[in-house]
Amino acid sequence: MSRTTAALALTALLGLGLVGCSAPASDAGSAASASPTPSAATTSPDATESPAATEAAGETGAAQAATELCAQASGSGEGDVCVLENATASGDLSFGSYRVVKIIGGTFDGGIEVTGAEQVTITEATVGGSLAVDGRGGAVVKLSTIGGSLDIAGVRSATLVKNSIGGDLLCADGVQANGDGNSVTGEATGTCSRVL
């Protein structure tokens, strides 16, 4: 085989490889206009994305969803108070920038996290996932159905009355839990064990 023939064969093979790797002509326009930063809703974890980055994106989305829900609620007063009455939400919610969070009734398919609030009241709500309260003052959770665990931390006192909890009922050290009539599928820890 001559040197020229070998060079032509190599060039043809490289050309085929490049054509095989390029986007089809119908996708070329959409590939050029694609957003360089995918949204959190469409991002899926892969080998190039760390679990921490995926979790952070999920937390950001949950916080944004909570902020939007509070903004829409007619019962919300000041900027640091969120009052939701008979609201519904399909994803996780994270309330981290409110002094007062009150959830009265409503159905929430995901989990709910409340951090840093001085006053947390959740009554007659249905939460499909877990409910985590890590506040600074007091918390009241009553007459609610929680599909996952109920985790109480940070608050001085927690009043827990007639809740149905599909997971564990967890009270961190220092939380003074009071109440009764709670149904817990999992374990009850700390002072939460006395509210069954």
Side-chain angles (χ1 to χ4, degrees), residues 137 152-158 171-177 190-191:
I152 307 288
V155 298
R156 291 185 299 273
S157 65
C171 280
D173 291 341
V175 174
Q176 293 303 312
T191 57

Side-chain angles (χ1 to χ4, degrees), residues 64-167:
Q64 182 176 350
T67 300
E68 290 172 2
L69 199 58
C70 290
Q72 294 171 3
S74 60
S76 291
E78 305 167 17
D80 63 349
V81 175
C82 179
V83 179
L84 302 177
E85 294 187 55
N86 298 315
T88 59
S90 59
D92 292 338
L93 298 173
S94 179
F95 300 87
S97 60
Y98 297 94
R99 182 178 51 82
V100 175
V101 175
K102 292 185 179 183
I103 299 174
I104 304 161
T107 302
F108 307 91
D109 294 339
I112 296 177
E113 179 182 45
V114 181
T115 56
E118 294 174 11
Q119 180 184 357
V120 179
T121 302
I122 299 171
T123 182
E124 298 179 11
T126 300
V127 180
S130 293
L131 171 60
V133 176
D134 189 353
R136 295 183 285 145
V140 175
V141 182
K142 64 179 186 177
L143 304 170
S144 294
T145 300
I146 301 159
S149 295
L150 173 56
D151 189 353
I152 307 288
V155 298
R156 291 185 299 273
S157 65
T159 302
L160 310 172
V161 179
K162 295 183 180 177
N163 297 294
S164 175
I165 302 162

Side-chain angles (χ1 to χ4, degrees), residues 27-49:
D27 292 344
S30 63
S33 63
S35 171
T37 308
S39 69
T42 60
T43 303
S44 61
D46 59 20
T48 61
E49 189 172 291

